[in-house]
Amino acid sequence: MLDSYAKKTSTREKILAATRHLMSEKGVQATTLADISQAAGISQGTLFYYYKSKDDLIYDIVEQHFSQLTDSIIASIPRRSSSGKVTLLRGTLEKLIKDQDTSRMNMYLLQEAMAGNSEIKDRFMVKYQTWREMIARQVSCLFAINDPEDLAGLGAVILAIIDGLTIQYLLDNQSFDFKKAAGIMSGMLENISSPAKETP
């Protein structure tokens, strides 16, 4: 029974790895189930045993993709560090953006969510909401911003900045300066955490 479980897990992981690779190269729409079964080294019948449809497979990819991105964010922000805020932000941006396969996958899944696949859109938005909340918590810790309204808005804005920077990096990674981007973001957040006092 244990061998059967291990084999099942192994085959499923093989399918997901092949799917991620193909979709990050070709996009979601251009990747077929036949492509996936061939890349995973299994028959289409075996693929259908694990996943009844391409959408079922995409749902697992969305879950896996965001879990890995979340782990990357958490891993890039140490609990205790003498590093400056710019260094921490830069490390987080690099962790999220530099892996081009992951960045392309993120863009392709976002495109699929916007193209009318309501189930993927719903799953995507749940994950985005989780991301926004996590980003807000990290900003609160790092920059001592505690106003709930500011934090909610900042989570959304920072996520939008990350998405935009991801697109720029995919288009031209040679001219991309992570240190400068992190410095600008840090300056914006510092201004929010220490607003200039209004003169009477």
Side-chain angles (χ1 to χ4, degrees):
M1 176 142 174
L2 190 57
D3 286 344
S4 173
Y5 175 76
K7 185 178 178 185
K8 204 172 197 176
T9 303
S10 175
T11 303
R12 187 179 297 278
E13 286 171 358
K14 202 187 305 184
I15 292 167
L16 289 171
T19 304
R20 278 181 65 87
H21 175 73
L22 287 168
M23 287 184 176
S24 71
E25 289 293 317
K26 301 168 64 171
V28 175
Q29 290 298 325
T31 300
T32 67
L33 291 175
D35 294 334
I36 294 165
S37 62
Q38 183 178 6
I42 59 173
S43 69
Q44 286 196 51
T46 301
L47 178 59
F48 284 122
Y49 172 77
Y50 289 93
Y51 293 100
K52 303 296 181 208
S53 70
K54 186 176 171 182
D55 278 355
D56 287 343
L57 186 48
I58 294 170
Y59 303 151
D60 269 8
I61 289 291
V62 169
E63 295 294 324
Q64 185 187 67
H65 177 70
F66 276 101
S67 292
Q68 289 174 351
L69 286 176
T70 300
D71 290 346
S72 289
I73 293 177
I74 292 168
S76 68
I77 301 176
R79 299 202 185 285
R80 292 181 185 174
S81 174
S82 57
S83 299
K85 295 171 184 175
V86 173
T87 302
L88 290 172
L89 280 173
R90 178 183 179 179
T92 302
L93 289 175
E94 287 182 345
K95 198 92 165 167
L96 288 171
I97 296 170
K98 267 192 168 179
D99 181 345
Q100 292 197 26
D101 284 347
T102 300
S103 293
R104 278 196 303 271
M105 189 71 196
N106 198 44
M107 291 299 111
Y108 285 136
L109 289 172
L110 183 57
Q111 180 183 24
E112 184 71 10
M114 293 186 306
N117 188 325
S118 60
E119 181 74 22
I120 289 177
K121 181 179 179 182
D122 290 345
R123 288 173 185 245
F124 211 88
M125 291 315 299
V126 166
K127 296 297 179 183
Y128 253 44
Q129 180 61 35
T130 303
W131 258 41
R132 284 195 297 265
E133 290 167 2
M134 185 169 58
I135 288 168
R137 282 195 302 273
Q138 297 300 338
V139 165
S140 176
C141 293
L142 200 54
F143 291 91
I145 299 171
N146 297 310
D147 185 308
E149 288 184 14
D150 282 347
L151 287 171
L154 277 172
V157 169
I158 292 171
L159 189 50
I161 290 171
I162 290 169
D163 284 342
L165 293 177
T166 299
I167 292 169
Q168 290 181 52
Y169 187 78
L170 286 170
L171 291 173
D172 181 14
N173 61 16
Q174 297 303 312
S175 65
F176 195 89
D177 188 335
F178 282 101
K179 185 176 180 181
K180 190 170 284 185
I184 290 168
M185 285 177 71
S186 180
M188 288 169 27
L189 292 167
E190 289 285 6
N191 284 338
I192 293 168
S193 67
S194 308
K197 292 188 176 173
E198 293 180 15
T199 52

